Amino acid sequence: KTNKKLFKSTFERQMLFNFEDLAIHYLEQRVLDSAFYYINSAKNKFDLNVHPFFKDEFNLVEAQTIYYAGNYLECKKVLDSMVNNYENLEKADLLFFIAKSEEVLGNIKKRDSLLEEIDSIMVANPFPIDNTPEVYNILLRNAIKKGDKHSQLDYLEKLIYFDSLITLNQKVIKVI
């Protein structure tokens, strides 16, 4: 009986990894109906409460899919309920989608505050999130509008630094 239980648990985890990979793949390709299909299939076929890691992962992928589907208020609601469960770069990634949702909803001050929070996270972590260049482009434009020379230089340096890391990582990945 123990072997069956272990097999079932291992099988379920592997299936959840596969469903998550497929959902992410379709999300990256912006084939949102397929991304939703794999998210919902995982949620319907498996008890995600038994697999808390996957529950959070599928909620995150679902929120990003909701964002790209244009339902910014729902995306913000889902991510707001999750953001305190994360830290460091994972939190920065969630904050980015919340910030972009706030932007579309017309809450520019809230967006800017969230982008500054992402900046404080990025200072403590030398690795970029996918959207780091956009974060620093917006912060740099804001500093230019305010005439804040110190912040302009700071954000420009960070933009160049993180953009170089992303470019380098892309080159390394192409070689591999």
Side-chain angles (χ1 to χ4, degrees):
K1 215 172 191 185
T2 303
N3 285 340
K4 278 187 174 182
K5 196 173 187 180
L6 180 62
F7 175 78
K8 181 180 179 194
S9 176
T10 303
F11 175 76
E12 282 184 3
R13 279 197 314 274
Q14 187 57 54
M15 289 299 296
L16 287 167
F17 273 120
N18 293 340
F19 277 59
E20 180 188 19
D21 285 346
L22 286 164
I24 290 170
H25 167 76
Y26 284 115
L27 171 61
E28 289 172 347
Q29 301 302 314
R30 301 297 186 264
V31 184
L32 303 181
D33 56 338
S34 295
F36 278 126
Y37 172 80
Y38 286 103
I39 293 164
N40 292 328
S41 293
K43 287 183 170 186
N44 293 332
K45 292 179 186 199
F46 302 101
D47 181 2
L48 294 182
N49 291 320
V50 175
H51 306 282
F53 167 80
F54 286 107
K55 182 178 182 179
D56 288 344
E57 288 298 303
F58 277 102
N59 285 339
L60 180 56
V61 174
E62 182 176 38
Q64 291 175 339
T65 307
I66 290 168
Y67 172 85
Y68 287 112
N71 192 343
Y72 306 107
L73 195 56
E74 181 65 19
C75 172
K76 182 182 149 0
K77 186 174 112 182
V78 171
L79 292 177
D80 279 342
S81 72
M82 298 172 56
V83 73
N84 291 327
N85 299 337
Y86 290 85
E87 55 187 32
N88 301 322
L89 296 177
E90 292 86 7
K91 184 173 186 173
D93 201 32
L94 268 69
L95 289 172
F96 175 79
F97 283 96
I98 296 170
K100 292 302 289 179
S101 295
E102 292 287 4
E103 176 182 270
V104 173
L105 296 169
N107 304 323
I108 301 303
K109 286 184 181 181
K110 180 67 176 169
R111 177 208 64 187
D112 293 346
S113 171
L114 291 165
L115 294 177
E116 288 168 5
E117 187 175 349
I118 294 170
D119 174 51
S120 67
I121 293 170
M122 298 306 294
V123 168
N125 295 280
F127 302 104
I129 59 173
D130 290 342
N131 300 298
T132 302
E134 186 172 355
V135 169
Y136 285 110
N137 272 313
I138 294 169
L139 290 172
L140 177 59
R141 281 195 309 268
N142 289 347
I144 291 168
K145 284 179 189 174
K146 293 177 186 173
D148 182 347
K149 301 284 184 196
H150 175 74
S151 292
Q152 289 175 32
L153 182 58
D154 181 47
Y155 294 139
L156 182 59
E157 287 174 351
K158 290 174 184 174
L159 175 61
I160 292 168
Y161 171 77
F162 286 117
D163 195 50
S164 319
L165 281 179
I166 290 170
T167 302
L168 179 63
N169 286 342
Q170 289 170 344
K171 286 180 182 179
V172 169
I173 289 170
K174 284 182 184 176
V175 170
I176 296 174

